[in-house]
Amino acid sequence: MTEPHVDSLTSDDAFVEAHSIEQQQDFLFPGDQGQLPYDARRVYALLLQRRFIEAAEDKWAWERILKYQDILESRFHDMFLNLVVDRDYRVAYKTQIRQEELNIPILLRDEAYKRVETIILLYVRNVFRQLVGMGENAAFVDYEELANHAMSFFALDETNLALRQREVTQAIEQLAREGILKEASQERYRISPIIEVLMPIERVKELTEWIDGRVHKTHIEPRVSPHNVDETTHED
């Protein structure tokens, strides 16, 4: 897929432009020692605040990410983080740089998904690929469809269906809070393109084998932490 054309600057020009931005200090509040203009600072803060930014949801932020990408990447690298700008899926997110020899303080950590969340993630990823592959601009899924699919993985002789249904509801709500499922209307969700980052083909194969193993009561160890996108900012 061809990447969108942002401007006609060469890579050298872009570097010079990014450098000059830091020399043009905007004083935004008393004692301000920041070097970036307001728009760059605000989008930098949004990238730190949010798990990811999606062009379809925040056009203003997406445009500023593209405009200030070089300097934003530099600022993230100062904190041992990577800024990833995926122009195909039009999402931007941060990841933790990990190199043992550098003794890097970890600001972002991976948090494993629960079994039910993993089942739903695999399903919505398949729905997203099918609908987008058919030419749809967006992929939608209903709550009932997600719940029925997840419930189908529990044993037929399950005695505590109310508990399982509550687990499914909580899983769907958690994925909605993370922004993977975007509420479009009551009990209907738009699937964020970030699902393709969380679930690349090699991860789908691995998790499908794990789910199949759990269904058939084998002992496959899960590795279900989010792929690439680190979730939680914390202090060590």
Side-chain angles (χ1 to χ4, degrees):
M1 181 180 295
T2 303
E3 293 185 352
H5 181 69
V6 178
D7 53 41
S8 59
L9 293 174
T10 65
S11 58
D12 288 341
D13 290 334
F15 178 81
V16 171
E17 181 188 46
H19 178 74
S20 65
I21 285 173
E22 290 196 318
Q23 308 307 315
Q24 301 170 2
Q25 186 171 1
D26 285 351
F27 295 97
L28 302 178
F29 48 85
D32 183 11
Q33 295 296 312
Q35 296 179 318
L36 299 182
Y38 169 79
D39 281 4
R41 294 194 207 190
R42 185 171 188 275
V43 78
Y44 181 41
L46 288 174
L47 284 163
L48 290 172
Q49 178 190 56
R50 301 178 188 176
R51 190 180 184 193
F52 61 90
I53 288 177
E54 184 182 338
E57 281 213 324
D58 196 333
K59 183 180 178 182
W60 183 93
W62 178 252
E63 290 175 348
R64 271 66 184 180
I65 289 169
L66 298 182
K67 180 177 180 179
Y68 296 111
Q69 183 173 347
D70 287 346
I71 194 64
L72 290 170
E73 287 176 346
S74 175
R75 290 300 178 97
F76 274 102
H77 288 166
D78 285 342
M79 297 192 297
F80 300 108
L81 300 175
N82 274 322
L83 171 63
V84 181
V85 180
D86 190 319
R87 300 189 184 207
D88 289 341
Y89 292 110
R90 294 166 62 80
V91 293
Y93 56 93
K94 57 192 178 292
T95 64
Q96 180 71 55
I97 294 172
R98 300 176 187 271
Q99 261 182 260
E100 287 188 14
E101 63 273 19
L102 293 180
N103 192 26
I104 294 173
I106 301 301
L107 299 176
L108 304 172
R109 68 174 182 264
D110 293 334
E111 293 190 354
Y113 285 114
K114 298 176 182 177
R115 176 178 178 238
V116 178
E117 293 168 349
T118 303
I119 290 170
I120 295 171
L121 281 170
L122 287 170
Y123 183 75
V124 298
R125 193 261 190 186
N126 288 337
V127 172
F128 180 86
R129 297 212 92 185
Q130 289 173 6
L131 294 178
V132 172
M134 293 167 57
E136 298 290 338
N137 293 325
F140 294 89
V141 66
D142 293 328
Y143 171 88
E144 185 177 2
E145 181 182 350
L146 293 175
N148 288 341
H149 177 77
M151 289 297 294
S152 71
F153 281 81
F154 294 112
L156 294 177
D157 58 353
E158 174 64 53
T159 57
N160 197 342
L161 285 178
L163 175 62
R164 298 308 181 192
Q165 288 170 345
R166 191 157 57 247
E167 289 178 2
V168 170
T169 297
Q170 289 172 348
I172 294 171
E173 290 174 347
Q174 177 62 29
L175 297 180
R177 282 192 296 270
E178 292 181 9
I180 298 167
L181 297 174
K182 311 278 189 177
E183 190 169 6
S185 58
Q186 187 174 7
E187 297 193 342
R188 183 167 175 78
Y189 301 94
R190 178 177 65 83
I191 304 170
S192 169
I194 198 69
I195 191 66
E196 288 283 14
V197 176
L198 289 169
M199 293 283 167
I201 188 65
E202 64 272 12
R203 180 58 55 89
V204 169
K205 182 178 179 181
E206 176 186 354
L207 294 180
T208 300
E209 289 174 353
W210 173 64
I211 292 295
D212 289 345
R214 291 293 296 269
V215 170
H216 294 96
K217 302 188 183 301
T218 61
H219 298 286
I220 299 175
E221 290 297 323
R223 288 181 291 170
V224 293
S225 59
H227 179 82
N228 283 333
V229 182
D230 286 282
E231 176 166 326
T232 306
T233 304
H234 70 99
E235 295 182 1
D236 280 354

